[in-house]
Amino acid sequence: MDAQGRGRADNIDPADQWVLNPNTGEYELRLTPSAPQSGVPRPRRGSPANAGPGAGTRARRAPERESPATPGPDVPGPRRRRGVPAEPPPGRRKGRTKPKKSKAKKILLWTGGSMAFVLVAVSAAGYLYLKHLEGNVSTTDVGSAGKKGFSKDEAFNILIIGTDKRTGKGNEGYGDKGSVGHADTNILLHVSKDRTNATALSIPRDLIVDVPDCPTKQPDGSEKVVPGTQNVRFNTSLGQDGRDPGCTMRTVKAVTGISVDHFMMADFNAVKTLTSAVGGVDVCVAHAVNDKESHLKLPAGKSKVEGEQALAFVRTRHSFGNQGDLDRIKVQQQFLGSLMRKMSSSDTLTNPAKLISLAEAATKALTVDTGIGNVSTLKDVALELKKVPTKNIAFTTVPVLDNPAEKVKATVVVNQSQAPAVFDAIKSDVSFTAVKQKEKKEKAEVAARLKGARSAAADIRVDIYNGGAPGGSAQETLNWLQNTEGVPKSSQLGNAAAPLSKTTVEYSPDQADQARKLADLMGLSASALKPGKSEKNSQGLPAIVLTLGKDFKGAGVSLTTPTKAPEVDKSTADKTVCAS
């Protein structure tokens, strides 16, 4: 600003308009030009100019705010006429002085207070919105079929169930008319402990299984046991005779040996609402589709589907393969992989409108068990799953064979020569995709525990505890070791102090040869050996400690866990495969 214009009202710098109000002791914004204010107030009208020491104390609450333009702490500055530029104090440059800092402080206080208010308001609104979402979620108490809570530090298994219940407008053309909601689509999702990988295992609805007895919670809070049935389709594990999702979870455990921690269930409407919430899902078909039954009409190549069209895509059976359920499973796996990619894409995660729409759709569409039945826990589950790279989410199906009891092939049975290896890999938290393995040094150290001399079986001195195995396992193992394997110096000491998921052998360094021999007899891997210390047996002699964990399968049954998953027909969530 030039010197000639400094006194004009339209050229006054806003920083020069912040002046001290002598009545309040605070700086104020003067929107009209006025004479500069001294850091010390002028005497009030009617007061003598030489008032005593206490005359100006109200105006000097904050000495650090005093204007540098004042010639002294107690002397008012010289007045000047409008339009006449004032001379700066000696040794100082012309321009803004400390009132600018006062302005900055004032603005900071104002905006800081406003931001605090906004944050409080947003926090309150966020809390209320979470409570609103909480009200959207439907829950079912499955009792002992699942876990009571969710842990971020463990591998977890969630059974995803899609029912054929025809609720909602426009669903008349799908599912069995009047269905109570059978387990039509079933995916057991295993997420690894280290979150490097996940496996989505599809279970065919037409798989012949034995459904176990199912304790189910009744509306009045009582419990009713629904009797099990043998040699029936898997989809009857839900809905039939009043069975709840806990029955389906128990059936999965009976078929695979894999414990299910939680379930998420959705009907036809979920496909519509979730795909619409993310703005559609990309799919691919190898040839043009025009299915008159499902009303699916797509050109060859890539398309985007949502709503009714998305539901038709996952429901059609007459457009792909041999028009059976196994081919439809592959299409559904492709669709879910694409949905996962879309939900985790930056296009979705950076779009508040889509995120809110997705939160509304997901919470309204899902029924879950009480263990994860609040929005905070569902958020934790989603965040843990988000850690898994899509390239390491493998989709596969329970290995099956056509039912040999049928002339007209309509159902399937578990392929006992292939399926157990798949189930064991999942139980052992082994990835079906190529993931970065643990440090080679650590692996070498563990493997080295099995390298070295072995003692004779008769020299093994071992105390046996039950740490989560079925009742009687410790005594069974004692009898087997003594009578079959020639380990007479063994004792059975009841239950361990705490349950273990894996069977372990703890030993002192001078007992390593005994531990290796016991590992050979029991089929234990190197990771089961825990170098440490031994304990004194009943004779006061050092003994290694064998604790039978939840993985114990019976005396003489090898406990060596797989380190590599079997070769299976699979796809991964990061790639688009055209359905054919």
Side-chain angles (χ1 to χ4, degrees):
M1 184 182 296
D2 56 49
Q4 288 79 7
R6 285 188 64 90
R8 294 170 54 189
D10 57 347
N11 284 325
I12 292 177
D13 190 326
D16 295 330
Q17 294 177 286
W18 287 88
V19 295
L20 183 69
N21 184 331
N23 297 321
T24 64
E26 300 290 342
Y27 282 91
E28 296 178 353
L29 181 63
R30 294 284 177 86
L31 298 178
T32 57
S34 61
Q37 301 295 309
S38 166
V40 181
R42 293 187 298 274
R44 295 182 182 180
R45 184 173 296 179
S47 299
N50 58 349
T57 53
R58 285 185 62 193
R60 294 201 300 270
R61 293 184 188 174
E64 68 274 11
R65 288 189 176 185
E66 286 184 355
S67 169
T70 58
D74 297 311
V75 183
R79 300 186 65 184
R80 63 181 175 88
R81 291 181 298 171
R82 293 179 185 272
V84 179
E87 290 296 324
R92 291 186 180 272
R93 296 172 58 190
K94 292 183 180 181
R96 298 174 181 173
T97 54
K98 282 189 179 179
K100 178 183 178 183
K101 290 186 179 181
S102 300
K103 171 201 173 187
K105 288 183 179 180
K106 189 80 174 182
I107 293 176
L108 182 61
L109 287 171
W110 186 88
T111 55
S114 299
M115 285 303 297
F117 175 79
V118 170
L119 289 174
V120 170
V122 168
S123 299
Y127 172 78
L128 292 175
Y129 185 63
L130 286 178
K131 297 306 290 183
H132 160 71
L133 291 177
E134 197 92 45
N136 290 345
V137 181
S138 299
T139 61
T140 297
D141 186 353
V142 297
S144 61
K147 288 188 175 180
K148 299 300 182 185
F150 175 75
S151 172
K152 299 179 183 179
D153 303 319
E154 298 176 353
F156 61 91
N157 301 314
I158 295 181
L159 181 63
I160 302 170
I161 305 172
T163 76
D164 59 359
K165 194 170 184 178
R166 302 189 310 170
T167 57
K169 182 180 179 182
N171 296 328
E172 295 81 5
Y174 304 101
D176 299 328
K177 186 176 181 180
S179 173
V180 293
H182 293 116
D184 195 58
T185 298
N186 308 277
I187 297 176
L188 179 61
L189 178 65
H190 170 80
V191 181
S192 70
K193 182 177 181 178
D194 60 10
R195 307 299 187 252
T196 61
N197 66 93
T199 303
L201 179 70
S202 290
I203 303 172
R205 68 172 191 173
D206 295 326
L207 178 67
I208 295 300
V209 298
D210 292 341
V211 178
D213 293 345
C214 296
T216 58
K217 295 285 185 179
Q218 303 302 301
D220 62 359
S222 63
E223 187 174 88
K224 174 185 176 182
V225 177
V226 180
T229 52
Q230 287 71 47
N231 294 314
V232 293
R233 280 180 167 87
F234 182 90
N235 67 344
T236 61
S237 64
L238 177 67
Q240 196 83 5
D241 301 322
R243 293 184 177 121
D244 67 6
C247 295
T248 310
M249 296 166 70
R250 296 176 194 274
T251 304
V252 170
K253 175 67 180 294
V255 173
T256 67
I258 302 170
S259 296
V260 183
D261 302 317
H262 306 285
F263 84 88
M264 293 182 178
M265 183 172 67
D267 59 19
F268 291 163
N269 283 330
V271 177
K272 297 181 184 180
T273 56
L274 288 174
T275 53
S276 295
V278 296
V281 173
D282 296 323
V283 298
C284 181
V285 293
H287 54 79
V289 173
N290 187 2
D291 185 354
K292 295 180 180 179
E293 292 195 24
S294 68
H295 308 295
L296 178 66
K297 189 173 182 179
L298 292 175
K302 295 181 179 180
S303 298
K304 181 176 289 186
V305 296
E306 67 174 284
E308 291 286 351
Q309 200 175 28
L311 178 58
F313 183 80
V314 298
R315 291 296 305 164
T316 184
R317 285 198 301 169
H318 303 285
S319 302
F320 310 112
N322 61 6
Q323 302 185 9
D325 191 51
L326 295 179
D327 287 295
R328 182 171 66 170
I329 285 175
K330 293 180 180 180
V331 173
Q332 292 171 345
Q333 291 174 346
Q334 178 210 126
F335 175 84
L336 286 174
S338 183
L339 179 60
M340 286 180 178
R341 292 194 298 274
K342 190 61 179 285
M343 291 173 69
S344 62
S345 69
S346 58
D347 179 51
T348 299
L349 296 178
T350 59
N351 188 322
K354 280 189 179 181
L355 285 175
I356 291 175
S357 181
L358 183 59
E360 291 283 354
T363 51
K364 288 179 180 178
L366 294 176
T367 298
V368 301
D369 60 281
T370 51
I372 55 173
N374 60 71
V375 171
S376 177
T377 307
L378 286 173
K379 176 205 69 177
D380 290 341
V381 174
L383 290 176
E384 292 304 304
L385 181 56
K386 187 178 179 296
K387 295 177 182 179
V388 182
T390 53
K391 68 179 181 178
N392 290 334
I393 301 176
F395 290 95
T396 190
T397 305
V398 172
V400 295
L401 299 169
D402 287 332
N403 188 350
E406 295 176 337
K407 291 183 179 180
V408 178
K409 304 305 180 185
T411 61
V412 293
V413 296
V414 173
N415 184 337
Q416 294 297 341
S417 66
Q418 297 180 6
V422 173
F423 302 154
D424 285 345
I426 293 175
K427 283 189 289 186
S428 301
D429 203 21
V430 176
S431 176
F432 282 77
T433 59
V435 297
K436 186 178 180 180
Q437 300 296 322
K438 295 179 180 179
E439 294 293 331
K440 290 183 178 181
K441 181 180 179 180
E442 180 183 352
K443 291 178 64 179
E445 288 176 353
V446 172
R449 295 172 190 170
L450 283 175
K451 294 180 180 179
R454 267 77 168 161
S455 70
D459 293 333
I460 298 174
R461 187 177 289 109
V462 56
D463 287 344
I464 308 167
Y465 292 89
N466 188 328
S473 295
Q475 185 61 46
E476 177 190 356
T477 301
L478 175 68
N479 295 338
W480 173 73
L481 285 174
Q482 289 184 342
N483 301 325
T484 305
E485 300 301 327
V487 185
K489 302 174 184 177
S490 49
S491 304
Q492 187 270 107
L493 298 180
N495 293 329
L500 298 176
S501 58
K502 303 288 186 181
T503 296
T504 63
V505 175
E506 189 172 2
Y507 57 96
S508 60
D510 61 342
Q511 295 170 312
D513 57 342
Q514 296 181 42
R516 296 188 194 105
K517 180 61 177 179
L518 183 61
D520 292 344
L521 296 177
M522 298 196 62
L524 294 172
S525 63
S527 61
L529 301 184
K530 305 296 180 184
K533 60 181 181 180
S534 59
E535 67 177 20
K536 299 290 185 180
N537 68 4
S538 57
Q539 286 80 39
L541 300 173
I544 61 179
V545 178
L546 170 64
T547 305
L548 306 177
K550 295 178 181 179
D551 63 336
F552 181 76
K553 301 175 182 177
V557 179
S558 176
L559 289 176
T560 302
T561 57
T563 57
K564 184 179 180 181
E567 292 294 327
V568 294
D569 183 16
K570 68 177 185 291
S571 60
T572 53
D574 65 318
K575 295 179 181 178
T576 299
V577 179
C578 293
S580 59

